[in-house]
């Protein structure tokens, strides 16, 4: 309890939020381990995760992490609607930091009578009320953060904990989460220094992010953080799919675009070749091309390294641009206008 309160009350600036990511992962492991997730009355043949923004990207990461181990499909829904396959043989995970995300609440409400096994991940709000009212299992994560997107670690670890307790994954991924937290905590200064240098190079350009298909969630996270923290536009694509379409779009020169390749030493051999060849093509089209390699042994460790690095890049860009990294006034305006309708 004391540990949770300590983390909660240093939430004042985005740099403080980013700084606590390693300890957030460690705390999330404790929360997940103590969670009570009951067995379902029916076999589970598929998993559906409903979540938006920072909560939704957590599902994307988990889907990649478990791909070689989990024996059932893991589908992420980011909208109001739910697929017709949700039934008594489905695990439905509703993830919303605030507990009041409109789309997630609507999605969950539509399947209340499906017989699915429901587990909610939230800090409170309407989602927790629904969970208690319906007798659903839930994992309560610490409240009080001014920026739900900075609570990604809670979302990822909670989902891994649910899958572990229901027998879909073993203990290895949770152990890798612990080692990943240790890695980025140990390399904190090096990560920040690298992030500051990257931000300085790309500060007056539009970033384009490329990585391999097994780490698309990393590129999505970078894009979202650059959008929300630094208040800039950005796009991403993945190898090998990018080689079948977007590569042709690089016909002209684009001096105002900065190309960032997010790479791993153990990328699939043919994908690594594709990146090398694509890099040669793009080096003649853009004045700024950066290769960034991950650190770590497991996929989780590498992903956490990239998450932390990208978060710091977005912070330093916000600083150089003189913008408030936490402010999301335009999103708040959209929600207010929707509430009037």
């Amino acid at each position: 309890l004391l540990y949770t309160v300590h983390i909660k009350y240093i939430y004042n600036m985005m740099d403080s939020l980013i700084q606590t990511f390693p300890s957030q992962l460690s705390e999330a492991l404790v929360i997940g381990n103590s969670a009570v997730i009951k067995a379902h009355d029916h076999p589970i043949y598929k998993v559906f995760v409903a979540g938006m923004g920072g909560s939704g990207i957590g599902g994307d990461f988990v889907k990649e992490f478990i791909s070689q181990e989990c024996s059932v499909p893991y589908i992420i829904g980011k909208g109001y609607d739910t697929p017709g396959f949700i039934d008594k043989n489905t695990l439905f995970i509703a993830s919303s930091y605030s507990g009041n995300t409109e789309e997630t609440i609507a999605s969950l409400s539509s399947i209340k009578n499906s017989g699915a096994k429901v587990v909610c991940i939230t800090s409170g709000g309407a989602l927790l009320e629904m969970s208690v009212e319906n007798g659903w299992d839930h994992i309560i994560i610490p409240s009080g953060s001014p920026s739900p997107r900075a609570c990604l670690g809670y979302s990822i670890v909670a989902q891994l904990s649910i899958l572990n307790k229901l027998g879909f994954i073993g203990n290895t991924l949770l152990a890798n989460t612990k080692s990943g937290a240790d890695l980025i905590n140990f390399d904190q200064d090096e990560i920040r220094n690298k992030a500051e240098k990257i931000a300085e190079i790309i500060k007056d350009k539009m970033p384009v992010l490329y990585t391999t298909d097994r780490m698309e969630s990393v590129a999505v996270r970078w894009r979202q953080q650059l959008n929300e923290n630094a208040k800039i536009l950005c796009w991403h694509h993945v190898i090998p799919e990018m080689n079948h379409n977007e590569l042709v779009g690089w016909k002209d020169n684009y001096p105002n675009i900065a190309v960032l390749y997010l790479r791993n030493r153990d990328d699939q051999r043919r994908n690594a070749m594709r990146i090398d060849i694509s890099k040669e093509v793009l080096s003649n089209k853009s004045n700024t091309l950066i290769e960034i390699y991950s650190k770590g042994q497991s996929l989780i460790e590498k992903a956490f390294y990239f998450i932390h690095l990208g978060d710091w890049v977005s912070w330093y860009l916000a600083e150089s641009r003189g913008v408030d990294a936490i402010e999301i006034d335009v999103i708040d305006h959209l929600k207010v206008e929707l509430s009037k309708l």
Side-chain angles (χ1 to χ4, degrees), residues 174-188:
L174 293 173
N176 289 344
T177 298
K178 173 63 170 62
S179 58
D182 292 340
L183 167 68
I184 57 177
N185 190 51
F186 181 80
D187 279 354
Q188 187 77 232

Side-chain angles (χ1 to χ4, degrees), residues 43-312:
I44 295 174
Y45 298 135
K46 61 267 187 186
V47 182
F48 184 84
V49 182
M52 305 296 299
S55 299
I57 188 65
D60 292 332
F61 276 104
V62 171
K63 181 178 180 178
E64 291 175 352
F65 294 161
I66 67 173
S67 63
Q68 300 300 308
E69 181 176 356
C70 185
S71 60
V72 299
Y74 204 78
I75 300 99
I76 316 300
K78 298 182 181 181
Y80 294 94
D81 300 323
T82 52
F85 65 67
I86 294 177
D87 57 17
K88 65 182 181 180
N89 301 117
T90 306
L91 168 61
F92 189 104
I93 300 175
S95 180
S96 166
Y97 178 78
S98 68
N100 297 312
T101 306
E102 179 179 308
E103 299 94 328
T104 305
I105 296 298
S107 180
L108 178 58
S109 298
S110 71
I111 61 93
K112 285 176 63 175
N113 299 319
S114 66
K117 166 70 176 176
V118 176
V119 183
C120 300
I121 303 170
T122 185
S123 68
L127 187 58
L128 182 57
E129 293 176 5
M130 290 176 66
S131 183
V132 172
E133 178 182 337
N134 290 277
W136 295 327
D137 291 336
H138 48 260
I139 296 181
I140 302 177
I141 55 182
S143 62
S145 172
S147 183
R149 63 186 178 277
C151 298
L152 174 63
Y154 293 123
S155 175
I156 290 175
V157 178
Q159 291 179 52
L160 291 176
S161 299
I162 293 167
L163 296 175
N164 176 255
K165 289 178 179 292
L166 292 176
F168 291 109
I169 62 172
N171 297 323
T172 300
L173 295 178
L174 293 173
N176 289 344
T177 298
K178 173 63 170 62
S179 58
D182 292 340
L183 167 68
I184 57 177
N185 190 51
F186 181 80
D187 279 354
Q188 187 77 232
D189 291 340
E190 181 267 342
I191 290 173
R192 294 191 64 166
N193 289 335
K194 181 182 292 187
E196 189 169 14
K197 292 176 182 177
I198 294 170
E200 178 64 25
I201 294 172
I202 69 174
K203 67 179 181 180
D204 297 319
K205 299 179 181 293
M206 177 183 288
V208 175
L209 310 167
Y210 294 130
T211 191
T212 63
D213 53 346
R214 69 170 180 157
M215 287 195 110
E216 182 171 11
S217 55
V218 164
V220 173
R221 173 67 175 185
W222 275 57
R223 174 169 57 79
Q224 292 176 347
Q225 291 294 80
L226 291 171
N227 293 157
E228 294 191 71
N229 290 348
K231 277 67 179 178
I232 62 174
L233 291 176
C234 173
W235 86 75
H236 84 277
H237 210 324
V238 293
I239 306 294
E241 178 65 20
M242 175 266 186
N243 290 170
H244 294 265
N245 36 66
E246 186 166 308
L247 187 60
V248 183
W250 282 91
K251 182 175 178 58
D252 299 325
N253 294 328
Y254 296 93
N256 294 324
I257 288 180
V259 180
L260 285 74
Y261 282 101
L262 307 179
R263 305 190 66 172
N264 305 283
R265 302 291 179 187
D266 63 345
D267 281 335
Q268 202 270 354
R269 177 172 167 270
R270 298 292 292 183
N271 279 338
M273 292 177 179
R274 287 177 176 274
I275 290 177
D276 290 337
I277 298 170
S278 301
K279 185 180 64 175
E280 293 176 9
V281 175
L282 269 56
S283 65
N284 296 317
K285 304 297 182 179
S286 170
N287 297 334
T288 307
L289 193 151
I290 307 173
E291 286 185 284
I292 309 168
Y293 280 90
S294 65
K295 283 190 174 182
Q297 300 300 314
S298 67
L299 180 62
I300 286 182
E301 291 170 359
K302 294 178 174 69
F304 286 165
Y305 177 87
F306 270 141
I307 289 171
H308 207 45
L309 178 64
D311 286 1
W312 278 120

